[in-house]
Amino acid sequence: MTAQFPAARPRRLRRTAPMRRMVAGTRLHPAELVLPVFVKEGIDEPNPIGSMPGVLQHTRDSLRKAAHDAAEAGVGGLILFGIPAVKDARGSAADDPDGIVQRAVADLVSDVGDAMVVMTDTCLDEFTDHGHCGILTPGGEVDNDATLERYAAAAVAQARAGSQVIAPSGMMDGQVAAIRAALDADGFEQVPILAYSAKYASGFYGPFREAAECAPQFGDRNAYQQDPAGPVGEALREVRLDLAEGADAVMVKPAMAYLDILRQVRDAVDVPVAAYQVSGEYAMIEAAAANGWLDRERVIMESLVAIRRAGADMILTYWATEVATRLG
């Protein structure tokens, strides 16, 4: 670059809205958005989630309406989390053919499966009475290898119900390989896996744990989710392991505090990369807006543009339907 002021005036390309729109380097599209949804067994009416204004624990019927609205807005997909009526130590409802996730998946695929991608979260924390993401040893630790068997069973149950993408989120070593082998053995070679490859032990998950009723009853998840201050390169190692095991796409979670990780992953792989704008990110913006401290719509869009700019091909966000409607 040789020109200097006054010949060089970068503001020329910022002066009007049409000009800014024409030269924009980052664009959002409704098809890139994925809506996380919660369905709860045994309720007659949707339950508002106190820490996430506007987000609900759905009945099967209200979930169908929410999915229809998302599809109408052009949202690319949704990802389902289920809350069973009965929980136990092994998360039996996770692979029950008549479990709440399996029944709700069948509803959604029937209703909107041709218009959007129906994904299922594959973990045990919503289904266990202790709230951890796997089977526990007698000493109270999560047993990695025993948990893999449960993940594989849950993934097959979800695929049989019609799930179009399996998304394992538990951060167990070997989870993608176990699920891929189980799906293939059951005739689901064509069902892709979106791996939560870089999932951090974050304080931003609090509202989600209210929504999914999955707060650990003791301890924490630091022994299996990534440390926010962990070794440089750990996220890329996790991503590469998942890809070697058969993952078709990978995810970084949370988004806002890990945009640097998202950029590293995007630069390192040649598969789609997702980022999850998690419950705490949603709750902070909604709370600040409710207090008049910021412009809600502007900050929502700015936050999503930042995630897209950092390299996300897909963004999981609770604002998916609202934003898709606004994007038109």
Side-chain angles (χ1 to χ4, degrees):
M1 189 174 87
T2 58
Q4 300 294 324
F5 178 84
R9 293 181 181 267
R11 287 181 56 190
R12 292 183 187 122
L13 298 181
R14 305 177 197 148
R15 289 188 60 248
T16 67
M19 181 69 74
R20 293 190 296 272
R21 186 168 60 248
M22 183 180 72
V23 302
T26 303
R27 302 182 192 276
L28 292 173
H29 190 278
E32 299 163 351
L33 304 178
V34 177
L35 177 68
V37 290
F38 304 94
V39 62
K40 183 172 180 179
E41 189 173 30
I43 59 174
D44 297 322
E45 298 290 336
N47 287 337
I49 299 164
S51 58
M52 299 178 70
V55 180
L56 304 170
Q57 289 179 328
H58 284 287
T59 66
R60 285 173 65 189
D61 285 341
S62 70
L63 177 62
R64 296 174 89 157
K65 173 63 165 59
H68 174 79
D69 291 345
E72 282 284 302
V75 172
L78 56 80
I79 185 165
L80 180 64
F81 300 88
I83 305 104
V86 177
K87 303 187 179 192
D88 61 24
R90 65 188 301 273
S92 298
D95 61 335
D96 181 351
D98 197 40
I100 184 60
V101 167
Q102 281 66 256
R103 286 181 288 150
V105 164
D107 292 340
L108 296 176
V109 171
S110 174
D111 290 355
V112 300
D114 292 333
M116 65 194 311
V117 180
V118 178
M119 310 180 186
T120 45
D121 178 83
T122 307
C123 195
L124 293 184
D125 54 339
E126 300 112 280
F127 303 99
T128 56
D129 53 11
H130 48 74
H132 278 284
C133 296
I135 302 297
L136 299 182
T137 67
E141 295 186 19
V142 174
D143 185 328
N144 189 95
D145 294 5
T147 298
L148 298 183
E149 297 178 13
R150 298 293 300 130
Y151 285 4
V156 168
Q158 292 169 359
R160 288 176 179 173
S163 178
Q164 297 165 337
V165 175
I166 300 298
S169 62
M171 290 298 289
M172 296 297 118
D173 294 338
Q175 64 183 15
V176 172
I179 289 171
R180 184 73 273 159
L183 290 174
D184 291 358
D186 211 65
F188 295 106
E189 300 93 341
Q190 302 305 316
V191 174
I193 296 173
L194 166 60
Y196 287 65
S197 297
K199 180 178 179 181
Y200 286 84
S202 171
F204 286 99
Y205 301 149
F208 175 92
R209 292 176 182 175
E210 177 188 354
E213 300 181 11
C214 63
Q217 297 303 299
F218 64 90
D220 53 41
R221 295 178 179 147
N222 292 340
Y224 43 102
Q225 294 177 356
Q226 283 186 239
D227 182 359
V232 174
E234 182 181 32
L236 291 180
R237 183 186 186 204
E238 292 277 10
V239 165
R240 291 184 179 116
L241 286 169
D242 283 352
L243 291 174
E245 291 175 16
D248 300 281
V250 297
M251 187 191 302
V252 175
K253 178 182 181 184
M256 182 178 68
Y258 299 89
L259 295 179
D260 58 326
I261 302 298
L262 176 58
R263 182 73 261 168
Q264 290 177 40
V265 172
R266 174 66 283 164
D267 289 344
V269 304
D270 56 3
V271 300
V273 177
Y276 197 146
Q277 186 180 51
V278 299
S279 60
E281 298 171 63
Y282 176 93
M284 288 194 305
I285 292 175
E286 289 287 354
N291 279 281
W293 297 336
L294 49 75
D295 181 326
R296 178 181 178 276
E297 292 187 4
R298 182 176 179 180
V299 171
I300 289 171
M301 297 303 291
E302 188 174 344
S303 68
L304 292 170
V305 165
I307 297 166
R308 183 75 180 86
R309 189 177 63 241
D313 302 295
M314 300 174 282
I315 304 174
L316 286 70
T317 175
Y318 299 97
W319 288 302
T321 302
E322 176 185 339
V323 170
T325 300
R326 194 181 309 159
L327 294 172

